[in-house]
Amino acid sequence: MLRLRLFCLLLGLTGTARAQSDLLLLTLPPTLQTTSVSPSMVPSSRFAVAIPVLSGRASGHHSAFPLRAVVRNDTLDPGRGLDRMNRNNLLAVDAHLDYLFAGVRLRKWYLTLSMSEHAEARAAYDGRIAELLWRGNAPFVGQTLSLDRLEGQALLYRALAVGVAYRHDDWTFGLRPRLLWGRAALRLHETDLRLRVAEGLLTAEYDARYRYDEAEELFSSDLDDGAYILPRRNLGWGIDGSVTYEGLDAWTFTVGWQNSGRIYWNTRTSTERFSRSGTYTGFTDEDYDGTETLTLQRVLDTLEATFLTDGTTQRREGFGTWLTPRLYAASRFALNDEWALGGAVQAEFYDGFRPAASVSATRRFGRLARGVVGYTVRSRDFTGLGAGVVITSGPVELHVVSDHVVSLFALQAVRSAHLRIGCNILFGGKPGGSAATAGTQWSRSTQ
Amino acid sequence: MKQVASPRRPTALLLLFGLIGCLPTDELVIAPWEPELAAPLLDLRSQLGEVLRRRGGNVEINTDADGFVTLRYLTEEFSSTAEALLPIPDQALAVVVPGPAAATPAAGEVLQDSAAATLPFTWERTPAAGGPSITRVLLKAGTLRVRAASAFRHDVQIRVYLPSLRRDGAPFALQLDLPFRGERPVVVDTLLSLRDADLGLGSADAPNRFPVEVGLTLTSLGNPIAARDDLQLDVSLSDLAFRRLEGDVGTLSLFDRTRDTVRIRLFERRFAGRILFENPEVRFDLFNSFGLDTEVNVTNVGLRTNRGEDAQLLGSGVDALSSVRVGGAATPGAPPALTSVVLDRDNSNVRDVLDPAPNRVLFVATANTLPRAAGSVPFVADTSRIRVRSEVTLPLDGRIFFYEERDTTALEWPDEEDVRWVDVRTRAENTFPADATVQLYFLDENFVALDSLFDTPDEIIRAAQPPPDGGRTAGPQVTEWTTRLERERYDRLRREGRWLIATLRVRSVDPETLPVKFYEDYQVRFQSGVVVALSTDLN
């Protein structure tokens, strides 16, 4: 039952909070969670251990409209959202949970080991597909619908990461290779739909194809607990990297990439391909042998056979899925011992280039707490007011950060949601330093 | 090993949970899903040639170089063959040779005697009752049995001679030995095949007879000859089958069909119609392979509509086909003699009786052989028979005042219940020089009309215009229309409609004055598409 509980916990995190990519976290003085922070960001403490399961992140983003746009007077009306979609909409859902984290600083080296569970889903779609589904094809009569943007991918995987950071003068180089185990995946891709329904007699020209891959190793009935905890199939790789520069007095600059990698699915897989094209003019003489009565049902059966059943082939074959990589750059400027300003830009690569940007201000409240407020813009979403707090008590550091605070209180009103929590135990450092340096900078803490 | 529940789409489930987590689920109502779906429905082509061939049956479709169509509906009737009509019964003949007078001849003494008889060859009917008077039979099968029983206590030898039974040109002769071994009668029984035998049965003046001659030679064994001693000879012919008969077969009834029909499938599904063909023709070809004249009577020729209405076909005001004398074949092996009777617009009322577009030609047909003409030698082969080929020829050239087909079918409604409205769009391309109106009637389970698709039947297929001489039309005439079925009507029909009657009513261009011709490549392309507005409650 262990894996079921863990999975349910992931579901819970995914279902109750939404966020994007921890942009504020990039601008905070580093906290420990390795799955989102830069490999070259080093805490000031010599030893660090994260409390299992209490650290994790959940986020979500729908670029087209907030939920409130389609819910009014207790009525969910998907039609209201159609006009707010464009031809490139993104639905993103992420969640991860840290099972294990430990880090140690040895002179110029900083080594980490972590294990985490990830769920990430992306769907990119042309808004006209939703319109086609909701309003039917009659509004498009006379038009040629060319819908090649309908891609989707959902992955559930586990990652074992070993992080190495090395300090050289004002530069810190970090690299975090990851070993990945795929648990479950589905992917819709190679999609191309062209449809033209002519005016008049509504003759339909169509050319449709897609590929759907699926793997469900996690749900295999012959999966024992040992294989569940340390899977041996559907292996993959990942690597994160970054560089941090601290050569200017009050400035810290970091550039890097995260979440690059690929999983090779080879167990309990299935692939369905669909390809069909032609012109459908209706029930023809070729469909009618003249011996039976021509009924409406026979006509409808022919219509259904043409568009819904023919053209599908299914096979069991392996496939590979890329993770959703991100490039980012972040900087922080310390105004004084209490205040610091930060900024970050990021680009996520899924069915194109999807940028985001964030600015923030951080303040230290004594030795016990730091607070951050920020503003994030991403994919037509300008409601990204963020906030976070880091509380340090003895060796225990607890942080709660959200890029979209509004989502915590009015989920229906926003396009993006985010929540990140973490609880760590730190030894041998100087927790609760200035706003610019507290708990973070290698140079400040070790020099 | 523990088992874990295994949903088919695990990550999809994860996403679904996520989405549900976003929703304010308390009393949230989902708006009705009201898509409008557009799809082509029908694309049917009906080309005249293909339609006629598809209906098949007994039709022969002829086209001239220009593609003008003439239909020939054929039916053939055959009489039984002569072999079946004239079975030859087994024949049995008995001849008694009394032998020498009573005495006791010395041993080794040879005595002789003979006897002759001309015996009748019987048929199932006697000549006096119109039966055959046959002078010659060429056999293809049969068995001759000769049985001799000698009561003499001496060695006997007999010679049986049938002078009119020949094979390979030689008359039949048979010699039999009946040696006495102490017991009597001395019996000899012999079977012989009559395959390819030629049996003469007398002359035209004395037919149905054949002679038998018997010669007896007695070699004495020294025993006495009693007065009652004799030799009895039984000759029989059995299992006879002829290849040819010569002579007069009498008056044979070849067939007597009280109701024969030519089916005109073109009009089989017609509900009503009034069509005036320009040059229709009803023809009867009478083939006679008997070597003698026959008389054929085709009477009460009528044309019947599918409503059971009959109209009688008359030639020059009378029954034109009664007592037609059909000459016989000239020689054995020659093709059958043909006698034709044609009823056309000039010698009959065929145009008028075809007007209601009948689908059957009915007639009563009888045929019988006629007595031999003086001086002739009629013959009958085993395969001789009378063949009556009935033919209705319809060059598709005429005027259609109206022609209506109806089809009734059970209504099957699609599963979708919440239909807001349905738009039906139709386009027809027509190269026929004829308009067509279509109507669909919806009926309840008791066949009571509920509604019709159109308020008034429109000309949804308009005629292509022919030239003034009624020749080929220039090009297709296109007709387009749209009709809408609103929710209230749709719901009522869906609730109560169980049957659908479709009617098609055709009318040629200006039928009062202009005959038009129909060509093989004339066609109607009928296309239809629908837009259906649905409303589905997703809650």
Side-chain angles (χ1 to χ4, degrees), chain A residues 192 206-211 272-277 310-313:
Chain A
D192 193 3
Y206 59 94
D207 182 1
R209 55 184 49 85
Y210 68 79
R211 174 176 169 169
E272 180 178 293
R273 285 186 173 87
F274 178 90
S275 178
R276 189 156 177 80
S277 61
D310 293 348
T312 303
T313 57

Side-chain angles (χ1 to χ4, degrees), chain B residues 114 135 178 196 214 227 239:
Chain B
S114 65
T135 57
L178 295 95
D196 298 327
V214 182
D239 303 326

Side-chain angles (χ1 to χ4, degrees), chain A residues 3 15 18 67 74-76 121 133-135 137-138 154 200-202 212 214 219 280-281 283-285 293 297 412, chain B residues 1-2 4 6 9-11 15 18 21-22 24 29 31 33 36-38 40-41 43 45 409 412 425 427 530:
Chain A
R3 55 181 179 264
R18 298 288 180 271
L67 193 58
D74 292 332
T75 299
L76 173 63
L133 292 173
W134 186 253
R135 292 180 176 159
N137 66 336
L201 296 168
L202 312 171
Y212 174 75
E214 183 181 282
F219 300 94
Y280 184 71
T281 60
F283 189 90
T284 67
D285 302 273
T293 304
Q297 192 58 51
Q412 297 179 38
Chain B
M1 189 165 60
K2 295 181 180 178
V4 176
S6 181
R9 301 279 188 270
T11 314
L15 292 175
C22 295
V29 177
W33 182 35
E36 295 174 10
L37 305 176
L41 204 62
D43 185 7
R45 293 170 194 264
T409 182
E412 297 175 25
R425 305 179 183 183
R427 182 177 194 271
V530 293

Side-chain angles (χ1 to χ4, degrees), chain B residues 284 296-302 311-324 341 343 347-349 362-365:
Chain B
F284 292 91
V296 176
N297 293 279
V298 181
T299 57
N300 295 324
V301 181
Q312 190 165 9
L313 178 62
L314 300 172
S316 303
V318 296
D319 218 345
L321 292 176
S322 59
S323 299
V324 176
V341 178
L343 301 176
N347 66 4
S348 71
N349 63 346
L362 309 173
F363 56 89
V364 178

